[in-house]
Amino acid sequence: MAHSSAKVPDAEKAEGAVTTRNRRLSPGRRQYLDIKAQHPDALLLVRMGDFYETFDEDAQVMADVLDITLTARDVGGGASSPLAGIPYHSLEAYLGRLISAGLKVAICEQTSDPATAKGIVDRAVVRLVTPGTVLEPGLLDNGRNNYLAAAVVDGGRAGIAYIDITTSEFVTRDLPLDMLRDELDAIGPAEVILDVAADQFLYEDDTTGYVRRRMTEGRLDAELAGERLRRHFKTATLEPFGCDSKPLAAMAAASVLEFVRETQLGSLPQVTTLRTMSDAGYMMLDRRARRDLEVFESLGDRDKAPTLLGTLDQTRSPLGKRLLRERVARPLMDLDELNKRLDGVASWLAESGPRALARDLLDKVPDLERLTNRVRAFSASPRDLAVLARGLGQLPGLIETAKSAGVESGITLIDDARALIEAAIADDPPMSAGGGDAIRTGFDTELDEIRTLSGEAKSYIAGLETTARENTGIKTLKVGYNKVFGYYIEVSRPNLDAVPETWDRRQSLVGGERFITPQLKEYEAKVLTARDRISEVERSVFRRVCGEVAGYADRIMAVAAEVAEMDVSNALAQAASDNGWVRPELNDGDALDIKAGRHPVVESALGPGRFVSNDIQLSSGDQQIAIITGPNMAGKSTYIRQAAILVLMAQIGSFIPAGSASIGLVDRIFTRSGLADDIAGGQSTFMVEMVETAAILHQATRRSLIVLDEIGRGTSTYDGLSIARAVAEHIHNSPRLGCKTLFATHYHEMTTLADLLPRAVNFQVAVSEEDGEVVFLHRIVPGGADRSYGVHVGRLAGLPPAVISRAWDLLAELESNGRSDPDGATGSLGPAFQLSLLSGASPVNDALAEIDVSNLTPLQAITELYRLQEMAGRDNG
Ligand SMILES: Nc1ncnc2c1ncn2[C@@H]1O[C@H](COP(=O)(O)OP(=O)(O)O)[C@@H](O)[C@H]1O
Ligand SMILES: [Mg+2]
């Protein structure tokens, strides 16, 4: 190889690398180009012996993504092409990296046996792998579904469908276009296919966490979509699936199905049903709220910091883990369903013995859904079946413990499937069928017979050593086996004289010779034929068993759903027990009344006993808007988010951290925070903030809960304050809104609203001062914060004592000025001197009002203080 390439003249080598045209292509190269032409948009991995190889541009791409060496390969006719390969046994690991780089990977296998193939081995692409169509267990997170979604848009509506091909859950719906983004976020897909309109509707930055693709063949029209779905499900109408009058939902579903069919290259027997989701019954939780409330991810340290899901998740099985996640993503408005869930939690909570027992059993429940789905798709291994049977073996115990806890459970036994697997599959079975040890003896007569024959032939050969020794008198004679010569008899050199005439010499070694005999070859043939037959029969028996077990798939899936349900309510009971949570009383009213509520995530971060509980009372007709003021770090944000989180928990059917709670079901939680940690960039932050605030004002209803944290912060004081006030007034006065609102603000001026708006109430976070030190009590008390803690903050920031002391004097002076103004504009606005800042009564006031305290450096603060002092001196003098 090295020789021949060294002989190629440089010029020709260079030319060969550039073009293969007009040259005779090698058969292998031609095969490659043919296959590649069928998958131009995929990275083609070609199995060649122990490697998966890539060529040409694919090699370049793979070398880049995986950071592996790129080499060149002779492709015949003096041409060469770039080449990069990965060992076949590490395919899974590399595949993960390739698809998360957004690539579509085509896996091309050898489809004829290299040992017997004449000429080149046949090859064919067996499947395409993309993030949404991964099957490799090692690449899947068993705590969450791996969804492939598709969205189509028409006018003001969108259709969106999603499938998890590892469980075959397949759902579609249609919805108003402006909910598309939030719905995608609720689904959390790994990959989304979009038609042109949907692609245009979503911003670039919406592609967080999922791979986005344009539909290749353009969009399916409604007619064609319906037909494809009917053909797949072999039904006359789409009525059984609920999308017969929802063309957009059907179009999205058909697109999903087409993409799966394209990537799996075949029929999809495991996709047996489609569910059309209705809009009714769900609480709307948009992605803004999901993020602000840190439901799945924390705002700060993304990986490690605690989340709401993390605090709730005490599930023990992958089934329960996935269901809990779904529930948290989709809170309910359905009172009956919620009460049913809460009943389940209450029962498990009351019975700690059965609860613990059930948890031990749930721990042993494998991923029944994914296992069953592999069985249905004929991709399960013998070991998968054994695991499935063991999982089914936990059902009697689960039924028993549920009964002893007084919990109603829909779990039923599936002992026939389990008995079938146990009878068919050997103990401790291998990862693939065909090796002869997957099927239990006694299960299949034919297999047993061939095994017996093979066993006899093997024992003949095993016995041959003894008989041959006896017959020849050669004590050191040995029977052995190698791949080239098969079975042989080895005789050491000194004993060669004693070898019978009839033996055939096959191989000479340093110390002796190897022989074969006709009889040995005859039995060898028997062994080999039997081995092939065993492999063939075992595979077909295994396939038959899978087919039979697949007949139980619907029942197993239904039971898996019940087990998931049990795991979730048991887990929520465990969380309630660990953290002292209580059952919320839910109703159809619009009041929120929580006594001694706590923020579950902050509480668990602080450790036991350190969190200060607070009451929350809101309703549309009475105390509608709560304005919470207080210094930085007092606990404003925690308090208002706590309200939203407790409602959210209640509406997924969980107990909540409170002394007691009565909650009128909320149709939507809105959150908006103008905190600096949000998005970088001044102007754009403010724009985003206003856009989202506008959305709230448009979409909220009387049953919504709005949580506003420091809105208006992204702009100058006057603008921000004005907008904050106007927003609050609008929420209060608009007859369509009137929704419960928590408004945390550092603008003390906002407290005046309570005087102007009858349903607005002031609260502040209690702070005490001990020896001039600010102590945050984290207690919410009625009334607006009536003085600035800026001076304290200044001291904490390190302003010199002389400045601080002068600031105190000034503050006192200013306060007394404000109060001594009997009929000034400030009078009606309450006692706070800050309120007079807006009255514009004096230049000092004006100057003070213009200072953006939260953006001052300590040095600027000092400078400002000197300037104010000077102005005040002028004023008074
Ligand atoms: N009710 C509470 N009990 C105990 N600690 C609290 C409570 N509320 C807040 N904290 C603590 O105070 C910190 C600041 O709270 P935060 O709500 O961010 O304040 P603010 O929004 O007023 O600046 C939190 O990180 C938490 O550690
Ligand atoms: Mg805050």
Side-chain angles (χ1 to χ4, degrees):
M1 179 87 188
H3 268 276
S4 66
S5 74
K7 279 182 207 151
V8 179
D10 276 356
E12 198 185 328
K13 221 167 44 178
E15 193 198 345
V18 174
T19 171
T20 57
R21 241 182 326 202
N22 301 330
R23 293 178 186 276
R24 245 187 49 227
L25 297 173
S26 68
R29 179 67 179 170
R30 188 167 304 135
Q31 181 192 50
Y32 170 78
L33 291 175
D34 284 348
I35 296 173
K36 179 67 194 175
Q38 292 160 31
H39 301 281
D41 65 335
L43 183 93
L44 182 61
L45 291 183
V46 184
R47 178 69 181 269
M48 304 187 106
D50 286 344
F51 281 83
Y52 285 102
E53 303 285 8
T54 50
F55 304 97
D56 306 344
E57 276 167 33
D58 286 354
Q60 212 96 45
V61 170
M62 186 159 92
D64 282 352
V65 172
L66 300 180
D67 198 16
I68 56 174
T69 328
L70 186 67
T71 54
R73 167 187 151 104
D74 185 6
V75 292
S80 69
S81 84
L83 169 84
I86 51 174
Y88 83 96
H89 54 78
S90 17
L91 176 66
E92 195 168 295
Y94 287 120
L95 205 49
R97 287 165 60 192
L98 292 171
I99 59 173
S100 47
L103 294 166
K104 191 190 259 184
V105 180
I107 299 182
C108 178
E109 294 288 356
Q110 301 174 159
T111 51
S112 62
D113 187 347
T116 58
K118 295 197 186 74
I120 57 162
V121 185
D122 293 337
R123 293 194 169 82
V125 170
V126 295
R127 78 191 171 94
L128 295 160
V129 185
T130 67
T133 56
V134 180
L135 293 170
E136 280 68 15
L139 298 182
L140 293 163
D141 175 351
N142 70 13
R144 57 184 297 183
N145 284 102
N146 195 60
Y147 289 124
L148 166 76
V152 296
V153 166
D154 191 20
R157 293 195 74 81
I160 183 163
Y162 56 97
I163 193 169
D164 181 341
I165 63 166
T166 67
T167 64
S168 292
E169 178 190 5
F170 189 16
V171 182
T172 191
R173 73 183 295 195
D174 84 348
L175 38 65
L177 182 56
D178 59 12
M179 282 169 63
L180 178 61
R181 223 172 255 130
D182 297 319
E183 179 62 15
L184 271 176
D185 194 63
I187 298 166
E191 182 172 7
V192 183
I193 328 160
L194 303 164
D195 75 350
V196 179
D199 195 38
Q200 279 165 355
F201 172 76
L202 296 171
Y203 306 131
E204 278 310 315
D205 65 276
D206 281 322
T207 312
T208 44
Y210 56 80
V211 169
R212 185 161 149 178
R213 274 180 221 293
R214 278 277 191 93
M215 283 175 194
T216 40
E217 50 174 288
R219 186 168 88 183
L220 296 170
D221 66 45
E223 196 68 26
L224 191 59
E227 189 198 312
R228 294 212 180 157
L229 289 174
R230 289 193 301 269
R231 188 157 15 109
H232 174 83
F233 291 114
K234 301 187 175 65
T235 53
T237 70
L238 296 182
E239 217 179 313
F241 312 114
C243 55
D244 47 334
S245 57
K246 295 186 172 168
L248 285 172
M251 281 152 74
S255 304
V256 163
L257 205 57
E258 280 309 301
F259 190 80
V260 176
R261 194 188 301 284
E262 190 189 313
T263 54
Q264 306 304 299
L265 301 171
S267 65
L268 306 162
Q270 68 275 29
V271 181
T272 55
T273 184
L274 169 66
R275 179 168 64 90
T276 301
M277 209 170 117
S278 70
D279 301 347
Y282 292 96
M283 175 215 258
M284 178 75 194
L285 187 66
D286 56 35
R287 55 193 200 138
R288 173 90 238 171
R290 209 172 283 125
R291 221 175 302 162
D292 279 347
L293 300 178
E294 301 181 291
V295 174
F296 292 131
E297 270 175 10
S298 75
L299 289 170
D301 188 349
R302 299 229 159 229
D303 282 344
K304 272 163 275 155
T307 61
L308 177 60
L309 180 64
T311 309
L312 291 170
D313 191 359
Q314 298 263 18
T315 58
R316 287 298 181 92
S317 75
L319 304 167
K321 208 179 251 329
R322 289 200 295 268
L323 179 64
L324 180 66
R325 195 187 170 87
E326 296 264 331
R327 289 209 171 154
V328 173
R330 293 187 194 282
L332 295 183
M333 283 273 294
D334 180 333
L335 200 55
D336 291 341
E337 174 63 21
L338 284 171
N339 275 322
K340 223 175 77 196
R341 290 183 186 178
L342 290 169
D343 287 345
V345 178
S347 305
W348 285 117
L349 183 62
E351 300 289 339
S352 60
R355 181 170 78 234
L357 207 56
R359 296 175 68 69
D360 284 346
L361 294 170
L362 287 163
D363 230 356
K364 298 187 195 125
V365 174
D367 200 330
L368 294 176
E369 286 176 346
R370 284 184 174 162
L371 285 167
T372 306
N373 206 52
R374 288 209 286 278
V375 173
R376 269 201 299 216
F378 290 101
S379 63
S381 70
R383 199 171 295 169
D384 282 340
L385 280 194
V387 173
L388 178 58
R390 232 173 297 143
L392 296 177
Q394 305 303 325
L395 299 180
L398 289 175
I399 294 172
E400 210 38 54
T401 43
K403 204 180 291 169
S404 65
V407 172
E408 251 185 68
S409 123
I411 302 176
T412 56
L413 293 183
I414 312 186
D415 275 345
D416 21 13
R418 178 174 154 213
L420 168 66
I421 297 171
E422 282 172 353
I425 304 298
D427 294 333
D428 205 4
M431 281 305 287
S432 64
D437 51 356
I439 302 296
R440 193 184 290 282
T441 311
F443 181 72
D444 184 80
T445 337
E446 187 186 4
L447 190 58
D448 287 348
E449 273 169 25
I450 320 168
R451 277 194 188 127
T452 312
L453 289 179
S454 155
E456 281 166 3
K458 274 189 188 153
S459 61
Y460 168 82
I461 293 172
L464 186 67
E465 199 167 86
T466 326
T467 33
R469 279 180 191 175
E470 278 166 14
N471 294 346
T472 59
I474 308 173
K475 295 266 163 352
T476 56
L477 164 157
K478 276 187 297 194
V479 172
Y481 178 85
N482 74 23
K483 275 193 174 157
V484 183
F485 298 106
Y487 287 100
Y488 55 77
I489 303 169
E490 189 173 313
V491 179
S492 62
R493 210 154 282 286
N495 295 309
L496 286 178
D497 290 348
V499 170
E501 291 280 302
T502 51
W503 292 15
D504 248 350
R505 176 171 310 148
R506 271 298 154 95
Q507 194 184 8
S508 292
L509 308 165
V510 184
E513 305 268 344
R514 284 176 178 172
F515 300 88
I516 57 167
T517 73
Q519 254 178 325
L520 183 58
K521 285 295 127 177
E522 184 190 323
Y523 279 93
E524 179 185 290
K526 281 186 186 171
V527 171
L528 294 182
T529 322
R531 197 183 63 189
D532 288 351
R533 276 297 288 155
I534 287 174
S535 167
E536 197 180 311
V537 175
E538 188 181 89
R539 264 189 261 252
S540 102
V541 170
F542 180 70
R543 210 180 149 80
R544 197 179 77 217
V545 172
C546 284
E548 277 177 52
V549 175
Y552 297 96
D554 289 347
R555 272 172 67 196
I556 300 176
M557 287 303 205
V559 162
E562 295 289 344
V563 172
E565 173 94 41
M566 173 165 165
D567 194 7
V568 167
S569 59
N570 184 302
L572 291 176
Q574 188 61 40
S577 157
D578 291 348
N579 302 303
W581 296 349
V582 302
R583 177 174 185 150
E585 184 271 311
L586 303 179
N587 59 63
D588 277 326
D590 66 14
L592 175 63
D593 187 358
I594 295 170
K595 298 278 184 296
R598 284 124 49 210
H599 188 303
V601 183
V602 176
E603 178 177 39
S604 72
L606 287 179
R610 311 228 349 241
F611 193 88
V612 179
S613 65
N614 278 301
D615 299 348
I616 292 168
Q617 219 173 353
L618 291 173
S619 69
S620 294
D622 181 14
Q623 188 160 294
Q624 182 204 338
I625 300 182
I627 295 159
I628 295 104
T629 44
N632 265 344
M633 293 302 286
K636 300 184 297 297
S637 299
T638 306
Y639 176 70
I640 61 176
R641 282 167 202 217
Q642 169 181 319
I645 285 181
L646 296 189
V647 168
L648 173 60
M649 286 172 78
Q651 290 190 230
I652 65 166
S654 171
F655 281 28
I656 65 173
S660 68
S662 154
I663 296 173
L665 294 182
V666 162
D667 67 354
R668 180 160 181 173
I669 293 175
F670 289 96
T671 64
R672 176 57 238 176
S673 90
L675 295 178
D677 63 356
D678 237 8
I679 307 163
Q683 191 59 38
S684 68
T685 303
F686 182 64
M687 249 327 267
V688 170
E689 193 185 322
M690 287 304 107
V691 167
E692 292 184 358
T693 305
I696 295 179
L697 300 184
H698 288 302
Q699 295 165 7
T701 75
R702 204 176 168 76
R703 304 189 63 124
S704 305
L705 174 65
I706 301 181
V707 169
L708 299 172
D709 200 351
E710 310 269 19
I711 69 159
R713 197 171 197 176
T715 184
S716 73
T717 309
Y718 276 128
D719 283 358
L721 179 54
S722 315
I723 286 172
R725 262 190 74 155
V727 165
E729 283 172 7
H730 183 77
I731 292 173
H732 185 276
N733 296 334
S734 161
R736 186 177 56 82
L737 298 175
C739 31
K740 300 177 282 290
T741 304
L742 288 151
F743 202 137
T745 179
H746 68 291
Y747 293 126
H748 303 285
E749 296 84 347
M750 287 287 289
T751 52
T752 50
L753 277 179
D755 298 328
L756 307 172
L757 308 174
R759 294 187 306 280
V761 187
N762 282 327
F763 290 94
Q764 56 178 319
V765 196
V767 172
S768 80
E769 289 175 53
E770 286 164 19
D771 310 327
E773 300 271 332
V774 180
V775 178
F776 296 134
L777 301 177
H778 305 304
R779 205 151 31 74
I780 305 293
V781 295
D786 62 352
R787 53 179 300 178
S788 170
Y789 290 87
V791 182
H792 284 290
V793 177
R795 192 187 54 73
L796 292 173
L799 288 181
V803 177
I804 296 296
S805 129
R806 175 61 185 150
W808 281 125
D809 292 347
L810 276 173
L811 186 60
E813 216 171 275
L814 287 166
E815 274 182 317
S816 62
N817 281 349
R819 288 206 182 101
S820 67
D821 180 5
D823 47 16
T826 58
S828 63
L829 297 176
F833 91 95
Q834 285 89 349
L835 305 178
S836 68
L837 296 180
L838 281 185
S839 69
S842 90
V844 178
N845 286 355
D846 286 349
L848 251 179
E850 257 165 67
I851 297 173
D852 183 359
V853 178
S854 54
N855 282 321
L856 281 190
T857 65
L859 190 64
Q860 285 166 332
I862 296 171
T863 317
E864 284 298 317
L865 274 174
Y866 276 124
R867 187 169 68 92
L868 290 171
Q869 188 176 10
E870 223 169 80
M871 288 172 76
R874 255 200 331 263
D875 263 13
N876 292 343

